[in-house]
Amino acid sequence: MQTEKDNKQAEFDFQAKIDKGDKIEPKDWMPERYRNQLVRMMSQHAHSEIVGMLPEGNWITRAPSLRRKAILLAKVQDEAGHGMYLYSAAETLGVDRTEMLKQLHTGKAKYSSIFNYPTLTWADIGAIGWLVDGAAIMNQTALAKGSYGPYSRAMVRICKEESFHNRQGYEIMCSLSFGTSEQKQMAQDAFNRWWWPAIMMLGPSDDNSPNSDELMRWKVKMESSDSIRRRFIDRTVPQAEFIGLTVPDPHMKFNKETGHYEHGPINWEEFFNVIKGNGPCNKERVKARNEADKNGRWVREAAEAYAEKHKKN
Amino acid sequence: MENQTALFQYCLRLADSNLILSHRLSEWCGHGPILEEDIALINIALDFIGHGTALLQYAALVEGKGRSEDDLAYMRNEREYRNALLVEQPNGDYAKTIARQFLFDTFQYHFYQALQNSKDETLAALAAKALKEITYHLRHSSQWVLRMGDGTDESHSRIQTAFDDLWMFTGDLFDMDTTDETLLKQGIAVDLAPVKEKWQTQVSEVLQQATLKIPDQTFMQGGSRDGRHTEHLGYLLAEMQYLPRTYPGAKW
Amino acid sequence: MKETQWPLWEIFIQANPGIPHKHVGSLHAPDAEMALQNARDVYTRRKEGISIWAVESKNIVASAPEDVGSFFDPANDKVYRHPTFYKVPEGVKYL
Ligand SMILES: [Fe+2]
Ligand SMILES: [Fe+2]
Ligand SMILES: [Fe+2]
């Protein structure tokens, strides 16, 4: 029987291991809250990758050149792969993918709010790769150093694959910005629409996340949202300027003393509204995933039935 | 028929089928029956678009009018497209997608086996490279035909219906015209008669193993050789070509 | 209605000839053939491998973390298993 004292000791050993920089593996002892947090984070992250396929998938059939079409296909495929790696990582903690998907389909599970915005023009594909993948990479590079072995290994793999996503997005924005005046307008318009959601997708200010301290101590969260956001802005603003795009934030200015950019107020009300389900595409996205699942059911059952009939031994 | 025109037409024919089928497969992206299958389908779509692009580049070179592969893909109209009728058929349910894929993969497999020996070195090299990919495509689609045919009652009836519906478009794969005749004389084109025999044998074998019936319909649609398509192609091209046509001259 | 869930498989990839297969992750597949195909599609998209092993997860037996002491500590003091344990006169080659 586990006594209170045993538990204390186990928790102490657990923390010591993390402090030393060792990874926690699936069968290791871990606090319940740690396990739950990780399942929640990994499945949310996995859902984000899968739902994220939809807004970009929108444009595969309309990509304006064969090269762009192949790149976009490969990129969206990577996202499907990322979803798989992450579901796999979550499954090491004993939750089934079916169970996680059910949560997504019934609207109980969350995913990154950014994918509830629509992709209206081709420039949105550029903006997503540049801004959304750009922000995601910063977050994921941090998570790759996290304490849970399977999650961190999945992140390492994902980060390696992500590097082209960001570049292809910026490349699209370059072509448009240096193209015809209509193309340039298209680029600026997409930038205007995606900038704030990208800023927000890194998560609310740290003063607003109550269990931040514990998560940092457990190395579940590796860096504060605000600090990742600052780095993202510092890197992205010059990239925008380089291709002649204007950041849609009249307050944005460079502070010479701190060496950082300072942004205007963030509309968190919009952020929480979208999370609550009131974004322009929440319903569509969840519906699309539900339909794929429903229409795929007979296919999965067929393969299962066939395997059963043809079992060797 | 002039040799160059014939070769150009021949390249378009091969390229267009790859391009259009890639387009159809990519429509599944994000909507597949299970994540693993989404990824598999996109791999296949990527192979098709890669091979189609290479063929269009070669077509452009053969034509010698300074058109690029993108010009050929995005600026030709319905009647100028030369893809097989089979590949433009809509995805339908997953059974229809798999049946279409299997029928075409089997064709491509035997066709490219022969094309490897073409006297046209570029085509022969492209065929040899593509054959590795096609071998895998065929394995994937055959395995699914087996699973659906010999899976549940529902899957059996769905895939049988899919084969029944698509069957009339398979004859078009083997139609030969003056383009073929011109190039056959030079050992460039593939004689489709033996390809058809091999195709029939293999399709029957797999369908039989999958407990499915070979559709008994014998009337075949034709027309892709001179750009007479089904209604579906127009919509597909409208979607695919809209950006370059809306903004002529723009670079992307 | 019962939800279908294909079994879970663990995937091991050999990156190059001569080196061991390495665990890369898992996936769902209805049977062995599909497990191999899915592994190829998911885990070797960037030429990561030349050989794949797929093992149904339920068939893997793993040691428990509690066994660490009794399983692995005894090897700690058997330094004689490592070549650097042995002193060899200087200048002797090919040992
Ligand atoms: Fe991703
Ligand atoms: Fe990405
Ligand atoms: Fe991500």
Side-chain angles (χ1 to χ4, degrees):
Chain A
M1 212 182 75
Q2 229 20 19
T3 66
E4 174 115 6
K5 206 175 136 212
D6 288 343
N7 252 328
K8 276 256 158 58
Q9 184 60 41
E11 204 158 344
F12 182 83
D13 293 344
F14 173 80
Q15 188 62 51
K17 214 165 156 183
I18 288 176
D19 293 342
K20 223 171 80 190
D22 285 355
K23 300 286 177 204
I24 305 300
E25 296 299 336
K27 286 184 152 190
D28 290 347
W29 184 91
M30 61 189 83
E32 255 334 88
R33 283 169 47 77
Y34 177 87
R35 174 187 300 271
N36 294 340
Q37 277 294 347
L38 271 161
V39 169
R40 191 184 55 83
M41 268 179 80
M42 289 190 284
S43 60
Q44 267 184 25
H45 196 160
H47 298 330
S48 303
E49 304 281 353
I50 301 311
V51 176
M53 293 171 73
L54 298 170
E56 287 184 287
N58 258 339
W59 281 88
I60 292 173
T61 54
R62 290 177 290 171
S65 74
L66 296 171
R67 177 171 175 269
R68 289 282 172 225
K69 197 191 276 281
I71 293 172
L72 185 56
L73 257 175
K75 197 256 181 198
V76 179
Q77 183 193 42
D78 272 352
E79 308 301 2
H82 299 171
M84 268 209 56
Y85 306 159
L86 289 160
Y87 284 127
S88 292
E91 285 183 291
T92 61
L93 289 177
V95 261
D96 272 1
R97 195 201 293 177
T98 317
E99 184 50 41
M100 292 184 267
L101 286 176
K102 204 196 275 164
Q103 303 257 325
L104 174 68
H105 297 149
T106 52
K108 274 187 209 126
K110 299 232 179 330
Y111 55 85
S112 184
S113 59
I114 194 124
F115 300 119
N116 291 318
Y117 291 89
T119 46
L120 300 180
T121 72
W122 170 250
D124 291 38
I125 299 307
I128 289 184
W130 174 35
L131 303 172
V132 178
D133 287 81
I137 289 167
M138 287 189 190
N139 193 26
Q140 290 169 350
T141 316
L143 288 170
K145 295 178 209 119
S147 63
Y148 187 56
Y151 193 25
S152 124
R153 289 191 286 274
M155 275 303 142
V156 169
R157 202 182 170 93
I158 288 174
C159 284
K160 261 192 225 151
E161 300 186 355
E162 282 287 348
S163 56
F164 100 77
H165 296 184
N166 186 230
R167 279 174 169 241
Q168 62 90 33
Y170 192 62
E171 197 190 76
I172 291 175
M173 294 308 263
C174 285
S175 304
L176 297 176
S177 299
F178 298 128
T180 67
S181 64
E182 279 163 315
Q183 283 179 305
K184 177 152 193 191
Q185 218 172 9
M186 200 189 271
Q188 181 66 53
D189 168 61
F191 188 38
N192 292 349
R193 282 180 290 109
W194 288 93
W195 171 256
W196 287 108
I199 295 287
M200 292 190 267
M201 76 176 262
L202 290 166
S205 243
D206 301 317
D207 342 322
N208 280 337
S209 357
N211 32 19
S212 218
D213 284 350
E214 187 177 55
L215 296 181
M216 295 274 247
R217 184 159 51 80
W218 282 342
K219 295 190 185 164
V220 168
K221 200 173 164 153
M222 295 300 293
E223 193 181 346
S224 82
S225 303
D226 287 333
S227 128
I228 299 180
R229 183 161 27 243
R230 191 170 63 189
R231 194 145 31 89
F232 172 70
I233 292 174
D234 284 347
R235 287 189 193 177
T236 310
V237 174
Q239 292 170 354
E241 282 165 357
F242 190 84
I243 54 175
L245 295 180
T246 313
V247 182
D249 177 357
H251 300 280
M252 180 69 68
K253 62 168 191 288
F254 188 69
N255 182 329
K256 272 193 189 128
E257 268 161 44
T258 60
H260 295 295
Y261 282 90
E262 280 163 12
H263 59 79
I266 298 175
N267 184 356
W268 289 114
E269 206 183 302
E270 172 180 325
F271 177 77
F272 288 114
N273 240 320
V274 176
I275 289 211
K276 257 184 247 150
N278 297 323
C281 301
N282 295 58
K283 291 205 178 67
E284 259 172 270
R285 303 286 187 245
V286 174
K287 187 167 164 241
R289 288 313 312 164
N290 264 302
E291 255 156 35
D293 185 69
K294 203 176 75 204
N295 296 334
R297 186 180 185 120
W298 70 266
V299 182
R300 302 191 296 272
E301 284 172 353
E304 212 171 45
Y306 178 87
E308 191 57 39
K309 282 186 213 173
H310 294 263
K311 237 180 208 157
K312 297 204 179 93
N313 73 54
Chain B
M1 189 181 229
E2 204 194 319
N3 289 344
Q4 191 199 8
T5 319
L7 185 56
F8 177 61
Q9 283 299 321
Y10 202 66
C11 290
L12 286 184
R13 189 194 288 179
L14 307 188
D16 290 349
S17 282
N18 279 278
L19 207 60
I20 299 301
L21 188 49
S22 163
H23 184 104
R24 283 294 185 221
L25 289 175
S26 72
E27 290 173 353
W28 274 105
C29 185
H31 308 278
I34 189 167
L35 205 40
E36 280 82 351
E37 207 46 32
D38 249 298
I39 296 175
L41 275 191
I42 305 176
N43 264 346
I44 297 169
L46 277 169
D47 287 344
F48 276 108
I49 199 175
H51 184 55
T53 304
L55 283 164
L56 280 183
Q57 280 164 348
Y58 186 46
L61 192 80
V62 170
E63 189 194 34
K65 286 189 184 159
R67 288 206 277 182
S68 70
E69 67 272 24
D70 281 330
D71 294 334
L72 289 174
Y74 288 92
M75 295 299 174
R76 275 181 304 141
N77 297 330
E78 294 89 326
R79 294 295 312 267
E80 295 168 285
Y81 257 78
R82 289 291 179 271
N83 61 280
L85 300 181
L86 177 67
V87 298
E88 73 200 33
Q89 298 312 306
N91 286 340
D93 62 4
Y94 205 57
K96 193 160 180 194
T97 293
I98 288 293
R100 184 186 64 199
Q101 196 63 36
F102 169 69
L103 294 169
F104 189 70
D105 289 343
T106 311
F107 162 74
Q108 259 203 334
Y109 180 77
H110 294 293
F111 178 85
Y112 276 75
Q113 291 278 5
L115 192 65
Q116 281 188 107
N117 306 317
S118 170
K119 290 254 166 63
D120 184 294
E121 281 174 21
T122 309
L123 282 183
L126 285 174
K129 181 170 177 279
L131 201 53
K132 288 185 197 153
E133 297 170 350
I134 294 166
T135 306
Y136 184 75
H137 303 164
L138 181 57
R139 176 169 173 173
H140 175 264
S141 56
S142 309
Q143 290 294 334
W144 270 111
V145 170
L146 294 178
R147 277 160 186 73
M148 289 181 187
D150 197 11
T152 61
D153 290 347
E154 179 177 8
S155 68
H156 179 91
S157 95
R158 279 178 186 263
I159 188 97
Q160 184 66 61
T161 308
F163 277 117
D164 293 347
D165 289 351
L166 290 169
W167 200 251
M168 65 173 170
F169 299 112
T170 56
D172 175 68
L173 293 168
F174 306 101
D175 284 344
M176 292 175 74
D177 64 4
T178 49
T179 300
D180 300 76
E181 281 159 29
T182 311
L183 296 175
L184 256 178
K185 274 184 220 142
Q186 300 163 65
I188 292 176
V190 168
D191 183 0
L192 291 173
V195 173
K196 186 173 186 177
E197 263 175 53
K198 289 181 187 149
W199 178 87
Q200 278 169 331
T201 310
Q202 186 162 359
V203 168
S204 323
E205 273 171 17
V206 174
L207 261 62
Q208 205 162 42
Q209 207 190 331
T211 72
L212 293 165
K213 280 202 303 285
I214 308 281
D216 40 27
Q217 179 176 20
T218 46
F219 183 79
M220 290 292 166
Q221 301 293 332
S224 78
R225 297 299 183 242
D226 37 63
R228 276 180 296 114
H229 291 275
T230 57
E231 286 177 347
H232 306 294
L233 184 68
Y235 290 99
L236 188 155
L237 292 181
E239 185 174 346
M240 178 178 128
Q241 299 179 332
Y242 119 85
L243 269 176
R245 291 201 184 237
T246 311
Y247 304 96
K251 299 247 178 332
W252 304 93
Chain C
M1 226 188 338
K2 190 187 151 282
E3 286 292 326
T4 56
Q5 166 98 308
W6 291 348
L8 193 65
W9 299 70
E10 300 300 325
I11 306 303
F12 301 80
I13 303 277
Q14 186 183 31
N16 286 300
I19 62 170
H21 287 66
K22 196 173 145 194
H23 184 246
V24 289
S26 60
L27 50 77
H28 290 276
D31 54 42
E33 164 69 18
M34 294 309 246
L36 271 185
Q37 286 193 21
N38 292 343
R40 178 259 190 199
D41 285 320
V42 174
Y43 289 108
T44 67
R45 300 200 305 285
R46 287 176 168 78
K47 297 200 164 96
E48 291 97 331
I50 55 156
S51 163
I52 301 171
W53 289 350
V55 186
E56 218 182 311
S57 308
K58 66 169 194 220
N59 293 331
I60 289 191
V61 187
S63 65
E66 303 87 81
D67 295 333
V68 164
S70 60
F71 267 44
F72 309 114
D73 283 356
N76 267 348
D77 53 6
K78 299 189 179 59
V79 279
Y80 45 78
R81 285 206 173 104
H82 300 274
T84 44
F85 175 73
Y86 300 93
K87 285 197 198 82
V88 170
E90 233 166 284
V92 180
K93 286 182 187 166
Y94 309 120
L95 264 176

